[in-house]
């Protein structure tokens, strides 16, 4: 099986490379960003993880509580002497300034730095420090990105300048179409994932995503965001349309910390998630987040052989290799997303079949989808934890002191290479399995709590949760399975 | 429905079961892996032409039990790895040793370990270094950015 797959992969690769060599001068330095990939989790750990998921689920069923605990956020504002030093005009300006500066460095290093992806500040910063790092920060400390959001900072700066110069308020924004909800952010998330996983796939036939292309993409997104903010208002767009605000904001609902009305406060952990999915498009956002990571895991393992098989066949048919690679990957990413969405909606349909509520399928799905935010987080940790540990070493050493990759040493810090021995395979495996199991438990807790809040009859609530339990066991097992098949 | 003591008991039993299971399962594996052959090249026989080299690999496969006296050879023909991307597999703590034989002048780069060696027609590149990082790594022709082998280092 493995040999056959390897054969196909090898044949496709050879063929692709041969065709590519004939058609294109190969890129001079198409390094992958990652120098090391994770080993698949061994069969015994897979078995143990799966068994643990079942044990945990069984325990959760028997311990079921009868009163919803996370619906009430139990918010307590922090005392002024705690809140004021953190949230004030100066820190707001400082955070916004840092955000704008980093946006500037990304564009600058992307446009004028080296084309070697692993030596340029921009790629590691955008895809690891920003994209993964802010998820971790959001889960722990709440919606920190709001303060650092460079687009928000610049737009607010402009609005302030306008008031100063024109001595009147900026024109009132257009009413935001309510049915659009968070769908613009879903579109943005899909575009980002496509850029990262498909356009950025540096196979044998393409250089992948160069820092220059990334910088241009950032500039296009920036222009798009300003237009949308000008049309619909800064805060409305931040809340619904701005991809990164919405995405990080989704994970921030798990945090026990928030800033509201300019004041720091604490709230019951996870409680904000129960109210998050009220806008249209919220379910799609969670499912795309899960599906994107699923695809990335699958294309390196389970789907790897099939993808290179289809790719090889397209090459045989005389299709342009770069186009063939991207088309194949796009189709498989779409299939993966459809698969994830289909499992979810199947589970919701099953839950609806037990009765006890007159909610539409759509509303019922949205009522429970927040339970899958922890699973999306678990998938991210399982898949990208080691990448972040290794790439962040580069981020804070040579990429910081030499952002363009031209040999400079701005901060005079040692430019040590990445220490890949920092964490061993066993440590990575345990973190991966722990993330999935903890994500599973958290998801069960949220779903059970919501069921109590929604259903009047506790017996129907319990029966509805067999479906949710099935769904979550399914997603967690899928996560374990992807890990067991990784990079083979 | 249940008393707090009952709930605690269930959680306790579950934790105990999980722990025992973990010990039993992880213990099993270390026995298996120590008996598994190491330092072998999994070579694909269907497309693995270049008969002269093919035999060498077969021998290497058979010789793995006596701690690889034959080191694996990756043959590059016309800038392509013969028989596709080769799989090299070692166990942490071992000495990684392999040879790259190319008919074009190139630079061979082992990612992660960041070991680089020049190869020329008739002058194979010899690699020998300690397997101290676990994971899956690319072995690449630096000039053409082409992967020729996948180096896997499993934990002990």
């Amino acid at each position: 099986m493995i040999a056959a797959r390897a054969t196909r992969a090898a044949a496709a690769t050879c063929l692709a490379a041969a065709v590519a060599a004939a058609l294109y001068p190969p890129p001079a330095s198409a390094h992958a960003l990652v120098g090391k990939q994770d080993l698949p989790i061994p069969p015994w750990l897979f078995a143990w993880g799966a068994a643990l998921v079942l044990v945990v689920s069984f325990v959760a069923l028997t311990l079921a509580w009868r009163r919803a605990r996370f619906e009430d956020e139990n918010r307590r504002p922090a005392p002024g002497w705690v809140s004021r030093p953190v949230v004030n005009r100066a820190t707001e300006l400082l955070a916004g300034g840092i955000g704008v500066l980093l946006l500037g460095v990304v564009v600058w290093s992307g446009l004028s730095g080296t084309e070697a992806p692993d030596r340029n500040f921009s790629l590691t910063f955008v895809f690891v420090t920003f994209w993964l790092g802010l998820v971790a920060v959001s889960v722990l400390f709440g919606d920190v990105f709001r303060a650092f959001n460079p687009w928000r900072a610049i737009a607010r700066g402009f609005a302030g300048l306008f008031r100063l110069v024109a001595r009147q308020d900026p024109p009132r924004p257009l009413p935001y179409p309510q049915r659009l909800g968070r769908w613009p952010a879903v579109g943005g998330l899909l575009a980002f994932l496509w850029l990262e996983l498909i356009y950025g796939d540096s196979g044998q036939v393409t250089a992948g995503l160069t820092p220059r292309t990334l910088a241009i993409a950032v500039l296009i997104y920036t222009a798009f965001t300003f237009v949308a903010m000008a049309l619909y208002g800064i805060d409305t767009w931040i809340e619904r349309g701005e991809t990164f605000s919405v995405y990080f904001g989704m994970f921030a609902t798990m945090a026990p910390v928030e800033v509201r009305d300019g004041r720091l406060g604490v709230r019951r952990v996870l409680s904000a998630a129960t109210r998050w999915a009220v806008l249209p498009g919220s379910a799609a956002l969670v499912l795309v987040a899960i599906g994107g990571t699923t695809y990335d895991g699958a294309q390196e393992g389970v789907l790897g052989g099939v993808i290179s098989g289809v790719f090889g066949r397209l090459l045989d048919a005389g299709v342009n290799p770069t186009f063939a690679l991207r088309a194949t990957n796009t189709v498989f990413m779409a299939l993966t997303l459809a698969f994830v969405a289909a499992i979810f909606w199947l589970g919701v349909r099953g839950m609806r079949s037990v009765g006890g509520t007159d909610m539409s399928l759509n509303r019922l799905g949205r009522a429970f989808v927040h339970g899958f935010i922890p699973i999306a987080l678990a998938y991210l940790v399982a898949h990208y934890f080691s990448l972040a540990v290794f790439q962040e070493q580069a981020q804070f050493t040579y990429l910081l002191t030499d952002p363009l990759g031209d040999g400079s040493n701005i901060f005079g810090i040692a430019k040590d290479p990445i220490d890949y021995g920092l964490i061993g395979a066993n440590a990575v495996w345990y973190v991966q399995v722990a993330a999935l199991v903890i994500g599973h438990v958290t998801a069960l807790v949220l779903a059970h709590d919501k069921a109590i809040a929604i259903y009047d009859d506790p017996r129907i609530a319990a029966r509805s949760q067999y479906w949710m339990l099935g769904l979550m066991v399914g997603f967690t097992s899928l996560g374990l399975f992807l890990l067991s098949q990784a990079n083979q | 429905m249940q008393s707090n003591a009952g709930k605690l008991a269930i959680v306790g039993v579950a934790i105990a079961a999980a722990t025992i299971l973990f010990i039993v399962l992880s213990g099993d594996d270390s026995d298996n892996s120590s008996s598994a052959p190491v330092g072998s090249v999994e070579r694909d026989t269907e497309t693995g032409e270049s008969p002269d080299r093919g035999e060498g690999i077969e021998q290497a496969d058979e010789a793995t039990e006596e701690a690889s006296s034959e080191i694996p050879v990756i043959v590059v023909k016309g800038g392509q790895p013969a028989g596709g991307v080769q799989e090299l597999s070692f166990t942490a703590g071992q000495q990684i040793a392999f040879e790259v034989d190319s008919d074009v002048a190139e630079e061979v780069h082992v990612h992660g370990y960041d070991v680089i060696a020049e190869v020329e027609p008739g002058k194979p590149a010899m690699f020998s270094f300690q397997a101290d990082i676990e994971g899956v790594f690319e072995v690449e022709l630096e000039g053409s950015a082409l992967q020729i082998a996948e180096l896997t280092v499993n934990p002990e």
Side-chain angles (χ1 to χ4, degrees), chain A residues 220-242:
Chain A
I220 292 173
Y221 182 75
T222 301
F224 168 76
T225 302
F226 288 150
V227 170
M229 282 177 169
L231 288 178
Y232 297 116
I234 299 169
D235 289 327
T236 307
W237 191 251
I238 290 281
E239 213 171 281
R240 294 156 192 227
E242 204 275 293

Side-chain angles (χ1 to χ4, degrees), chain A residues 116-135:
Chain A
D118 59 338
R119 289 273 150 191
N120 193 304
F121 176 87
S122 61
L123 278 169
T124 296
F125 183 79
V126 169
F127 290 110
V128 187
T129 310
F130 172 72
W131 184 243
L132 301 175
L134 270 174
V135 170

